[in-house]
Amino acid sequence: VFNQVDGADQADGLATRLRGVCERFLVRSPRLAGWLPRSPRVIASIAGQRPFALDRPLCLENHCLRRLSARVQRWFPAVPALTPALKG
């Protein structure tokens, strides 16, 4: 996940560079899970301690967050929760 990027092209470029380094030195090929844009909306959200997703549901930041969430859910399907048995 790349945070505070200027757009999809920058995120793809960073992912390509990171993948190359990882393949060369770690023999691993990480996938791009997603990216979040550089945004004054996110900065204001942090300062105001209010999730940006609540105020502008159709903004780019929310779109990126939804895509990231969907991709992670596809890659790591939900595992049934393990709840300890309570003895009482």
Side-chain angles (χ1 to χ4, degrees):
V1 175
F2 291 104
N3 192 19
Q4 296 191 19
V5 297
D6 293 325
D9 288 342
Q10 184 184 25
D12 289 339
L14 290 168
T16 299
R17 288 176 52 202
L18 179 62
R19 186 177 309 110
V21 170
C22 289
E23 287 172 351
R24 181 174 177 188
F25 294 106
L26 303 174
V27 193
R28 296 286 185 261
S29 186
R31 297 180 285 180
L32 176 62
W35 60 276
L36 296 170
R38 181 181 323 276
S39 167
R41 194 173 290 126
V42 173
I43 293 168
S45 170
I46 293 166
Q49 296 184 351
R50 179 173 168 80
F52 63 82
L54 298 177
D55 296 325
R56 300 279 304 267
L58 300 179
C59 68
L60 175 62
E61 296 85 350
N62 274 344
H63 175 72
C64 292
L65 199 55
R66 284 191 302 272
R67 288 187 63 195
L68 172 60
S69 173
R71 189 167 292 143
V72 169
Q73 288 176 4
R74 276 195 314 275
W75 289 351
F76 304 99
V79 176
L82 300 175
T83 55
L86 298 177
K87 296 182 181 179

